[in-house]
Amino acid sequence: MQTNSSDRSAQAIEISGARLAKWKTMLTARKIGTTKKLLSRVPELIGEQAARKALNGQRLDRQTWEAIFTGLKLNRVDFFSDVEWFDRNLTTQWEILWNLAADASDRFGLVLPEHVPDSSLWDGVGSEKFQQTIASRTSVLLEIPGGFLGYLILVEQDALGNIVLLSPSPLMSNPVLTGSIQRLPQYPPSPFEFLQPITVGTNYLWAGIFAKLPELRWLADAQKRPLRLQMAQVTELLAYVSKQPPGTPLWRSSYVVTASSSHADIMNLDI
C-alpha cells in the first residue's frame, strides 16, 4: 500500500545465488541463457513485471515458478534441491490465513474521501460504498466498520506479493477499536492524509479483531516503522489466530488497481 503526503500470489520464494547460477546454466543449455533472449521468452509466460523481478533476483511466488518450469520445459526437481519444501508450500501459511477469514467485501475496504462525511449514514446495503477497482494514484481511505471492540490486526498482500502490516503501523497508531468507525490513515497523528495505491494489480486485505493484544513480539515496534512480514511472522500470526475462540471476527476483502493516465508527481511511502 502506498500513501500520499498521499491473482493473489502464493508465498514468495527466495532465490539464492546458487539457484540463480543453476537457472543460468539450464537456460544456457536451452539456448535462452542471455538476458536478451530470456526477456524475449519469459515475459510472455509470467508477465513483464514478474520477469523483471526474476532477473533482479527478487522473490517469486510458487505459481510463477510453475509457469516458468512449464513454459521453458524445466524440471523443478533439477532446479530445487529441496523439492519437498517447495511442494509443502502449495498451500501456504498466507493462503490458510486468508481462507480462515470470511468474505467481508461489503463491510470493509477502500472508500473514496467524498464518502467519508456521510459514512455514518450509510445503510450498508450492497457494496457500492467500497471500491473494488480504482485507478492507480487514486486517493482513498481504508475503512473498518463500527460496532467492534478489540485489537485490530490488518494485513495486506500487495500486487507484488509483499505482505505488509497496516495495523498496527504508522498509518494506524491506535489499533484498539472502541466501537466507532475507523479509517486508515489515522490523520493526524499519521503524517499521511490518504492512501494512494500505485502498483497495478490485485491487493488482498485481511483483518482480525482480538479481545486483547496478541502475544506477537514483532508487534512491539510496528507502530514506529512500516513492517513487511516474513514467512516466520505470517506463521506466528496463523498459529495465534488458530487458537482464538469461535466467533472471533476474521475478514477478508480485495481490490484491483488499474493503470492511470495521470502521471502527476506525488509523495508516497512504500511499505
Side-chain angles (χ1 to χ4, degrees):
M1 177 74 71
Q2 290 80 26
T3 59
N4 78 338
S5 167
S6 71
D7 306 308
R8 176 169 116 258
S9 61
Q11 176 65 45
I13 298 171
E14 295 285 358
I15 309 175
S16 68
R19 286 173 179 169
L20 285 174
K22 180 175 284 190
W23 180 347
K24 183 177 180 179
T25 299
M26 295 177 70
L27 294 177
T28 300
R30 288 164 173 77
K31 302 180 186 293
I32 52 175
T34 67
T35 299
K36 183 176 180 180
K37 291 179 180 178
L38 180 62
L39 280 173
S40 69
R41 185 75 179 93
V42 173
E44 70 183 69
L45 301 174
I46 62 176
E48 183 178 352
Q49 189 174 77
R52 285 184 183 145
K53 290 176 64 178
L55 291 173
N56 290 331
Q58 297 181 40
R59 297 186 301 168
L60 295 179
D61 60 68
R62 189 185 195 282
Q63 293 174 340
T64 301
W65 277 115
E66 293 287 9
I68 292 173
F69 296 145
T70 300
L72 299 181
K73 296 181 173 58
L74 298 178
N75 189 328
R76 63 189 174 89
V77 176
D78 293 334
F79 193 86
F80 285 98
S81 58
D82 189 356
V83 178
E84 290 186 4
W85 178 88
F86 186 76
D87 288 338
R88 280 199 304 272
N89 286 274
L90 176 61
T91 303
T92 69
Q93 287 87 344
W94 169 252
E95 289 177 312
I96 296 172
L97 193 65
W98 175 264
N99 289 327
L100 287 176
D103 179 18
S105 56
D106 61 341
R107 303 189 67 186
F108 94 106
L110 301 187
V111 295
L112 298 174
E114 53 263 33
H115 281 314
V116 170
D118 301 323
S119 57
S120 61
L121 304 177
W122 188 260
D123 61 12
V125 177
S127 58
E128 294 83 358
K129 174 182 179 180
F130 297 102
Q131 303 301 303
Q132 305 300 315
T133 303
I134 61 171
S136 176
R137 303 176 185 272
T138 299
S139 293
V140 291
L141 298 168
L142 201 166
E143 183 172 295
I144 304 295
F148 293 90
L149 305 175
Y151 190 96
L152 173 67
I153 290 185
L154 179 61
V155 181
E156 179 182 58
Q157 185 186 64
D158 65 21
L160 296 177
N162 299 309
I163 299 175
V164 297
L165 186 65
L166 301 183
S167 174
S169 79
L171 300 177
M172 189 163 185
S173 58
N174 182 12
V176 179
L177 302 181
T178 58
S180 61
I181 292 173
Q182 292 292 323
R183 302 182 188 92
L184 276 75
Q186 289 178 328
Y187 173 80
S190 169
F192 307 103
E193 188 172 0
F194 303 109
L195 303 171
Q196 199 166 61
I198 297 174
T199 305
V200 173
T202 304
N203 295 261
Y204 298 87
L205 298 166
W206 183 95
I209 302 174
F210 305 99
K212 60 180 182 179
L213 171 67
E215 298 174 356
L216 300 169
R217 292 187 303 256
W218 39 269
L219 288 177
D221 295 327
Q223 290 164 308
K224 300 177 183 177
R225 60 183 180 86
L227 183 60
R228 181 174 296 170
L229 300 186
Q230 303 302 313
M231 183 183 296
Q233 293 165 322
V234 176
T235 300
E236 287 183 25
L237 177 57
L238 174 60
Y240 180 82
V241 170
S242 299
K243 296 176 183 177
Q244 299 309 299
T248 298
L250 300 174
W251 302 333
R252 68 187 188 205
S253 185
S254 63
Y255 63 94
V256 176
V257 178
T258 62
S260 171
S261 59
S262 173
H263 298 286
D265 292 334
I266 62 167
M267 294 182 66
N268 66 80
L269 172 67
D270 185 357
I271 64 172

